[in-house]
Amino acid sequence: MPRLLALALALGLAAPLAAQPMMPDAAPAAGAVSASAERVEVGVTVRARTPMPLSEPGCVGYVDPSAPDVVVDWGGGDFVVAVTGDFDATLAVRRPDGAWACDDDTHGVLPVVGLSSAPAGRYAVWVGAFSEDGNGLSATVAAGPPAPPPTLGPASAALAGRIAAAGGFEAAQGAIEVTVTAGGPDAAERLATADGTACTGYITAARPSAVVDYDAADGTGEIAIRATAFDDEAFADLVLVVRRPDGSLACNDDFGGTDPTVIEEDPTSGAYGVWVGTFSLSDPVSAMLTVTETAPAFDVDDFDDYDGGDFSPEPYSEGSYLALRLDAAPAVRLAADDASGSDATVLLQPEAGNPVTGPACSGYIETAATAGVTLSGEGPFAFRASAEDDLTLTVKTPSGDWWCSDDADGLDPGIQVDVAEPGTYLVWVGTFGDLDGATEATVSVAPGVVESSGGYDGYDGPTQSEGLHDGSVLAPGPGQIALALGTEAEVLAGGPILNPVTGELCRGFVAETPTATLAVDGAVGIGAYAEDTDLTIVVRAPDGSWTCGDDAEGTDPYVTVDGGPGTVTIWVGTFSRRTSPVEATVYTDRFE
């Protein structure tokens, strides 16, 4: 059964309506216009009456197939059709050759169809809505050549003024911080950077947010410009555009969470124009612009409150960056109400580590969302994903909140939404491990709650494995405590380091310094447990061998080690990355 027909039946719609064909030659509801050198705009009333009958990619939502909303006589060349309105709109365009081009959610929840070297002729345009709730709403269709890139204003027009930054300022006075206003009406996506990095978001092009007058003399060799939303602007996703003294541009989005950073290595003296924008077109928001002479790390965890050992990360490391494409069309569309839900089979090809931060925000995901979900009814609703692989879930709500899950039901993730919001939930299905290829999974949404199994109940696989490590990261040394055989002790488990020991069950996140040490004269059993936390364990035996353990008793690890007499070194980790160490108990058993 075609997916759109299945969705129509699931929502209780009559199947014959979905089969009504589109009528591109009918008289357009809002009339016909001509466009060539200038863009034209036409106001339309949305007719979201029938499920979209087209099966081409991106052709979703509800329309009135009986006639186009508007017809555009195009003179030829690069052609763009865009829709604006206060709802989740969709767009279908029939080209002169009879082919269709559709879109949904290119700009937030608004669609855009762009055609390169489009031939002259008649283009029939339908404006739809993702749900029937859009019927009768007003929208505007803009059609014509692509908008030119915005012209960035002069440095003298800076909204927050000029910032003097002489080389060595951070050591002398600390970071420079200035309050700025972020956002504006101008799309930054058509700006061209020197290295080809894509610019995103919306700025006030005519006036930079601020100008940094940098004097490279006595500098450290780099400057970093960062924008951070204030707490009362919690849903603001910021972007940065920086114009260097030579006129070239640098752009960034989501360096850390949703905060952007531009790092200039070997910066030259001169004026750096800074535009702080918002990822989506929205009202301006307040933000903090920070300038330093040391590049910030990608701050995932905060261990400031820990005093049981040195949790400081390495000063630098090789990394990868994944910029989530929040404006890309999801692979599938799902919907649920209080009576029914829907699901889909998807093919996952994770690209890089999940850039969203949080205790359960783990694994690897794609840049574009796996699914777009709409909810209606009282709730609650359950988002789930399942596969043979260990999966993760990341969800962005219509209001901008982020939620993550890993191992809510065994190895399958689940997220519960208690109160449905209007709009589209973006869902990323990821894998806990970095796969070499693609894997198939099922993603679903349904009315009901997520009942966690508390981890891996019923798991009957191996609970420990040998490991290999050169000792360069987890170096033996004094631990938080010195255990005695047959005793247990309270410790702090977890850390910022992805377990560097290689082996089948070498998982989780640990600290560089050991959790505990234990003097032994033979075989020993070592375990750990914690309330509501999935733990892992890494042990180095006196003979230098490594052993990893996971899920021996539910989600609690237990290993047996026999590496001769001497000192056993123990690291107790957490399966998922945590924002701070967790309280746990480590214990030992003697084997005679």
Side-chain angles (χ1 to χ4, degrees), residues 472-483:
S472 60
V473 179
L474 303 184
Q480 296 177 36
I481 59 167
L483 278 173

Side-chain angles (χ1 to χ4, degrees), residues 137-160:
L137 297 179
S138 297
T140 300
V141 177
T151 300
L152 299 180
S156 59
L159 291 166

Side-chain angles (χ1 to χ4, degrees), residues 13 17 99 126 143 153 183 199 225 232 336 410-411 418 451 479 485 516 562 576:
L13 303 172
L17 291 176
W126 272 263
C199 298
I225 301 171
D232 59 353
L411 291 179
D418 293 321
E451 297 180 353
L485 284 170
D562 187 3
S576 299

Side-chain angles (χ1 to χ4, degrees), residues 535-551:
L535 299 181
T536 62
I537 200 167
V538 181
V539 175
R540 184 183 186 276
D543 62 2
S545 62
W546 293 84
T547 301
C548 299
D550 186 28
D551 297 332

Side-chain angles (χ1 to χ4, degrees), residues 247-350:
S248 63
L249 300 181
C251 296
N252 184 256
D253 177 34
D254 298 342
F255 177 87
T258 57
D259 294 333
T261 298
V262 168
I263 300 171
E264 288 291 294
E265 298 182 354
D266 298 322
T268 59
S269 297
Y272 290 78
V274 180
W275 284 260
V276 183
T278 54
F279 183 80
S280 299
L281 187 60
S282 64
D283 293 333
V285 300
S286 295
M288 180 67 74
L289 181 66
T290 303
V291 184
T292 64
E293 289 184 288
T294 54
F298 185 77
D299 187 11
V300 176
D301 299 310
D302 182 4
F303 290 93
D304 291 344
D305 296 332
Y306 176 69
D307 58 4
D310 181 9
F311 269 74
S312 300
E314 293 296 321
Y316 63 89
S317 66
E318 182 180 356
S320 60
Y321 173 64
L322 178 70
L324 294 183
R325 296 164 54 203
L326 300 180
D327 56 353
V332 298
R333 286 285 187 172
L334 304 176
D337 55 28
D338 289 333
S340 63
S342 54
D343 61 60
T345 299
V346 294
L347 192 66
L348 307 178
Q349 293 182 295

Side-chain angles (χ1 to χ4, degrees), residues 8-331:
L9 294 176
L11 296 176
L13 303 172
L17 291 176
Q20 183 179 354
M22 303 285 267
M23 305 294 290
D25 296 325
V33 295
S34 296
S36 55
E38 301 291 335
R39 302 186 80 183
V40 295
E41 294 187 354
V42 179
V44 301
T45 299
V46 179
R47 301 168 297 146
R49 299 169 181 169
T50 301
M52 172 71 74
L54 301 173
S55 59
E56 281 79 357
C59 298
V60 297
Y62 292 78
V63 295
D64 185 344
S66 65
D69 289 287
V70 64
V71 166
V72 181
D73 291 317
W74 174 236
D78 292 346
F79 183 49
V80 174
V81 181
V83 176
T84 56
D86 295 326
F87 64 101
D88 189 352
T90 62
L91 181 62
V93 178
R94 185 181 186 270
R95 301 185 299 201
D97 61 2
W100 289 90
C102 297
D103 188 60
D104 178 34
D105 297 347
T106 286
H107 279 173
V109 295
L110 298 175
V112 177
V113 166
L115 303 174
S116 299
S117 302
R122 185 180 190 274
Y123 290 78
V125 178
W126 272 263
V127 178
F130 186 73
S131 70
E132 292 176 291
D133 295 339
N135 187 48
L137 297 179
S138 297
T140 300
V141 177
T151 300
L152 299 180
S156 59
L159 291 166
R162 305 183 74 97
I163 302 169
F169 68 85
E170 186 173 10
Q173 65 186 52
I176 297 173
E177 295 183 335
V178 177
T179 300
V180 298
T181 299
D186 304 308
E189 63 184 11
R190 293 181 63 80
L191 294 173
T193 62
D195 61 0
T197 303
C199 298
T200 58
Y202 293 84
I203 61 175
T204 300
R207 301 185 67 183
S209 304
V211 172
V212 179
D213 289 317
Y214 182 68
D215 183 354
D218 301 322
T220 63
E222 66 180 3
I223 57 171
I225 301 171
R226 183 172 188 174
T228 307
F230 289 118
D231 291 341
D232 59 353
E233 304 286 0
F235 300 142
D237 184 356
L238 302 181
V239 301
L240 268 180
V241 176
V242 175
R243 182 168 58 191
R244 303 182 180 97
D246 64 3
S248 63
L249 300 181
C251 296
N252 184 256
D253 177 34
D254 298 342
F255 177 87
T258 57
D259 294 333
T261 298
V262 168
I263 300 171
E264 288 291 294
E265 298 182 354
D266 298 322
T268 59
S269 297
Y272 290 78
V274 180
W275 284 260
V276 183
T278 54
F279 183 80
S280 299
L281 187 60
S282 64
D283 293 333
V285 300
S286 295
M288 180 67 74
L289 181 66
T290 303
V291 184
T292 64
E293 289 184 288
T294 54
F298 185 77
D299 187 11
V300 176
D301 299 310
D302 182 4
F303 290 93
D304 291 344
D305 296 332
Y306 176 69
D307 58 4
D310 181 9
F311 269 74
S312 300
E314 293 296 321
Y316 63 89
S317 66
E318 182 180 356
S320 60
Y321 173 64
L322 178 70
L324 294 183
R325 296 164 54 203
L326 300 180
D327 56 353

